[in-house]
Amino acid sequence: MLSLSRLGEKGLIRRIARRVRVDSAVIRGIGDDCAVLKPPLGKYLLFASDMLVEGVHFRRTADPAAIGWKALAVNVSDIAAMGGVPLHAVISLGLPNGTPVRFVDRIYKGLTRCAARFGLNLVGGDTDRSARIVIDVAILGEVERNRVVCRSGARAGDHLLVTGRLGGSLKSGRHLEFTPRLREARAIGAKAPIHAMIDLSDGLGPDLVRLCEASGVGAVIEAERVPRRPGCSLGQALTDGEDFELLMAVAPPAADHLLAWARRRRNLPCGLTAIGRIVRRPKGTPVKVVDSSGGRLPVSLAGFQHF
Amino acid sequence: MLSLSRLGEKGLIRRIARRVRVDSAVIRGIGDDCAVLKPPLGKYLLFASDMLVEGVHFRRTADPAAIGWKALAVNVSDIAAMGGVPLHAVISLGLPNGTPVRFVDRIYKGLTRCAARFGLNLVGGDTDRSARIVIDVAILGEVERNRVVCRSGARAGDHLLVTGRLGGSLKSGRHLEFTPRLREARAIGAKAPIHAMIDLSDGLGPDLVRLCEASGVGAVIEAERVPRRPGCSLGQALTDGEDFELLMAVAPPAADHLLAWARRRRNLPCGLTAIGRIVRRPKGTPVKVVDSSGGRLPVSLAGFQHF
């Protein structure tokens, strides 16, 4: 079995470069000190990074193609959450000595599959020795100036809408093969103005708290409206995390318009659900979960904490 | 002592965001799913990433401010090697649980010091739990379309010039506090056309081999011309690595012009030295080291290998 120690870093980079296809925005891709790119015209750039660490975001026994897919998909999800389109990515990969080349090939299989699916170029990065597998992706995207959606634009009275269904992503293994809601975010953004948006990585509860804090508002979730994955409790739907669905705040008339549009299944196969409202910033905790009679439910919204 | 577990990820991000200053190209910086940036007009984008791993690029006992400085400086060096100017960076940081917040503050002290020195904005990133410290920086820069310098443009007959002096960077600790040759690369590029350039991260020998392979040429180094750091042997100057000086190929008349200009100390305080020539691609190994009588020296050019 060919190991990295025999192939060498240079051999590895050459091997990767051969497998990667790029479009005409790439003047120079993998193999130089930097990639050289044509900038988007008349739009804003989006720039983010997301790191996956063995033992935290995946186990070494996971399919490496799934690890590669996830590493890029979480970044595409960040671009989707801003209303934008992904363009280019660079990949930093830390690998234990003696890693079989087949393992790296499979990681790149997942990366290139995700890149092809969402129309983006892999243009560079770094490979290093590391006791544990680490994969960090930085992504560049673009967004029309009047289509940028931040976390901070939610206003009291907005409806809260969420794509798909929530809960059980880690347990079911879905977190390794999820589809970022890029197409959905673009379609929704073309239909109606979105005031604020966030992708659900830590869980509906903690991520809604984030959106509220960024916007200086509060929110009320109606428990029985939260769309759950089969077999998931409310608690799981609120705090399991890694759903990578989109949560957005939209003014009431636009929300009605969007919900009617989304009811035609072919417009939005994943579905769109109204789960509550943005309210003025309350004194205490910003997010309240209520039952159908409006009574407050004593649920914890604390999701996964890295530290 | 305040630890990360008490501060939490959200507290950490808020703490970081408070310390970071950005310029008017940043529409939205740290704290959203992506940074939102104005793209450079009429120029190319440069995009790269470089990862540092504890135990490989630094020890846990190193000054964390130096780790932060180095993590950004190696990326600035990549931008310099393309002839460009750095604009924005995102930082992915993996930290062991229980890391004192003071340690992270010091890392960011180094990062922000380097960002301020080279005029770039820290606009986002990711923080994660990780058994070992990992810091990956992705950098965005810009370069005038007619000023991009790749590794692949060297031509037979070009002179090989190198900035500064080589060797002993790891042993002396200089690798943790080096100054990327950004100002120097811009000044040299404004004076004369550079055919090809690379920053010396793995050592003059291995990096020159890379430049030759990318350009489809060979090279001859004159041993006694290689500028060495005090106390360093030729072998150390050729293969120690982490010098982060710039190696460039320049046509003979332009090289003479540059060398005369660089002899005025205030133009280029680090110095510029002609160390050899680009030749047509030879059959065997692309780089030859010769003594003053032109006899080939039996030196190994293999530098640090990650795998």
Side-chain angles (χ1 to χ4, degrees):
Chain A
M1 194 165 58
L2 185 63
S3 81
L4 280 185
S5 355
R6 281 198 56 199
L7 184 63
E9 191 182 352
K10 200 151 64 176
L12 177 63
I13 293 169
R14 233 185 255 142
R15 197 177 169 95
I16 291 168
R18 268 204 308 273
R19 280 147 204 239
V20 160
R21 297 280 162 276
V22 297
D23 67 31
S24 65
V26 180
I27 308 291
R28 186 152 296 253
I30 292 171
D32 218 305
D33 291 302
C34 296
V36 183
L37 309 166
K38 291 183 196 160
L41 284 176
K43 297 183 179 176
Y44 285 143
L45 280 171
L46 300 173
F47 189 20
S49 69
D50 245 320
M51 179 155 74
L52 303 189
V53 180
E54 177 190 339
V56 179
H57 302 91
F58 61 86
R59 291 173 216 276
R60 196 175 289 203
T61 51
D63 176 5
I67 298 170
W69 172 277
K70 181 177 179 179
L72 190 51
V74 295
N75 280 278
V76 171
S77 185
D78 281 329
I79 297 282
M82 303 299 293
V85 172
L87 298 172
H88 313 285
V90 292
I91 318 291
S92 288
L93 194 53
L95 295 166
N97 218 336
T99 301
V101 169
R102 205 189 116 71
F103 189 92
V104 187
D105 283 346
R106 293 280 300 162
I107 287 187
Y108 265 87
K109 179 128 196 154
L111 284 166
T112 49
R113 204 158 52 86
C114 189
R117 168 81 174 269
F118 296 102
L120 67 117
N121 304 302
L122 304 182
V123 295
D126 191 21
T127 53
D128 294 278
R129 187 151 45 82
S130 166
R132 307 232 182 164
I133 303 166
V134 182
I135 176 164
D136 186 44
V137 173
I139 197 163
L140 262 188
E142 64 175 21
V143 62
E144 299 82 359
R145 283 162 195 243
N146 58 354
R147 289 274 296 271
V148 194
V149 186
C150 296
R151 294 180 183 175
S152 52
R155 300 166 212 172
D158 283 353
H159 284 277
L160 277 170
L161 309 181
V162 70
T163 60
R165 314 196 141 265
L166 310 178
S169 179
L170 285 161
K171 217 161 152 186
S172 66
R174 208 172 58 250
H175 70 108
L176 282 169
E177 48 193 35
F178 77 94
T179 303
R181 298 300 188 196
L182 181 69
R183 207 179 55 81
E184 293 80 358
R186 293 295 293 174
I188 292 168
K191 272 284 153 199
I194 309 171
H195 286 170
M197 186 152 60
I198 189 169
D199 68 323
L200 299 181
S201 53
D202 291 347
L204 173 59
D207 287 323
L208 177 53
V209 168
R210 254 179 217 133
L211 186 143
C212 285
E213 287 175 345
S215 298
V217 297
V220 178
I221 298 179
E222 295 176 52
E224 80 278 15
R225 287 180 179 253
V226 174
R228 308 178 203 166
R229 285 268 172 177
C232 284
S233 68
L234 175 66
Q236 290 174 310
L238 287 173
T239 60
D240 268 1
E242 304 250 326
D243 290 310
F244 299 106
E245 297 292 347
L246 294 171
L247 173 69
M248 60 206 88
V250 180
D256 292 342
H257 176 61
L258 273 179
L259 288 164
W261 166 82
R263 268 193 289 275
R264 299 195 60 169
R265 200 88 193 143
R266 70 177 159 80
N267 285 337
L268 207 71
C270 70
L272 188 68
T273 312
I275 58 167
R277 293 271 203 152
I278 296 291
V279 297
R280 285 202 297 170
R281 195 209 314 241
K283 284 236 174 75
T285 161
V287 176
K288 227 168 51 172
V289 182
V290 300
D291 62 21
S292 54
S293 64
R296 182 161 180 187
L297 293 171
V299 292
S300 161
L301 296 179
F304 179 75
Q305 282 283 330
H306 267 287
F307 302 106
Chain B
M1 195 166 54
L2 187 60
S3 82
L4 280 186
S5 355
R6 283 197 56 198
L7 184 62
E9 192 182 351
K10 199 153 64 177
L12 177 62
I13 294 169
R14 231 184 257 141
R15 197 177 170 95
I16 292 168
R18 266 204 310 269
R19 279 148 205 236
V20 161
R21 297 280 163 275
V22 296
D23 66 32
S24 65
V26 180
I27 308 292
R28 185 151 299 253
I30 293 170
D32 218 305
D33 292 300
C34 295
V36 183
L37 309 166
K38 292 184 194 160
L41 284 176
K43 297 183 181 177
Y44 285 142
L45 280 172
L46 299 172
F47 189 21
S49 69
D50 245 320
M51 179 154 74
L52 304 189
V53 180
E54 176 189 340
V56 180
H57 302 90
F58 61 86
R59 293 173 214 276
R60 195 176 290 204
T61 50
D63 175 5
I67 298 170
W69 172 277
K70 180 178 180 180
L72 190 51
V74 295
N75 280 279
V76 171
S77 185
D78 281 329
I79 297 282
M82 304 297 293
V85 173
L87 298 172
H88 312 285
V90 292
I91 318 291
S92 288
L93 195 52
L95 295 166
N97 217 338
T99 301
V101 168
R102 204 189 117 71
F103 189 93
V104 186
D105 283 346
R106 291 283 299 164
I107 287 186
Y108 265 86
K109 179 129 197 156
L111 283 166
T112 49
R113 205 160 50 88
C114 189
R117 169 81 173 267
F118 296 103
L120 68 116
N121 304 302
L122 303 182
V123 296
D126 191 21
T127 53
D128 294 277
R129 188 153 44 82
S130 166
R132 304 227 185 170
I133 303 166
V134 182
I135 177 164
D136 187 45
V137 173
I139 197 162
L140 263 188
E142 64 176 21
V143 63
E144 299 81 0
R145 283 161 195 244
N146 58 354
R147 289 273 297 270
V148 194
V149 187
C150 297
R151 293 179 184 178
S152 53
R155 299 165 212 175
D158 283 353
H159 284 278
L160 278 169
L161 309 181
V162 69
T163 60
R165 314 197 140 264
L166 310 178
S169 179
L170 285 160
K171 216 159 150 190
S172 67
R174 207 172 59 250
H175 71 109
L176 283 169
E177 49 193 35
F178 77 95
T179 302
R181 298 300 188 195
L182 181 70
R183 207 179 56 81
E184 293 78 0
R186 293 295 291 174
I188 291 169
K191 272 283 153 202
I194 308 172
H195 286 170
M197 186 153 58
I198 189 170
D199 67 324
L200 299 181
S201 53
D202 291 347
L204 173 60
D207 287 323
L208 176 53
V209 169
R210 258 182 213 127
L211 185 143
C212 285
E213 287 175 345
S215 297
V217 297
V220 178
I221 298 180
E222 296 176 52
E224 80 278 16
R225 287 181 180 250
V226 174
R228 311 179 202 164
R229 285 267 173 179
C232 285
S233 68
L234 175 65
Q236 290 174 310
L238 287 173
T239 61
D240 268 2
E242 304 249 327
D243 289 311
F244 298 105
E245 296 295 346
L246 295 171
L247 173 69
M248 62 206 87
V250 180
D256 292 343
H257 176 62
L258 272 179
L259 288 163
W261 166 81
R263 268 194 289 275
R264 299 195 61 169
R265 199 93 195 135
R266 70 177 159 81
N267 285 337
L268 206 72
C270 70
L272 188 68
T273 313
I275 58 166
R277 292 271 205 153
I278 295 292
V279 296
R280 284 200 299 167
R281 194 209 315 240
K283 283 233 175 78
T285 161
V287 176
K288 226 167 55 170
V289 182
V290 300
D291 62 21
S292 53
S293 63
R296 185 162 176 186
L297 295 172
V299 292
S300 161
L301 296 178
F304 180 73
Q305 282 284 332
H306 267 289
F307 301 105

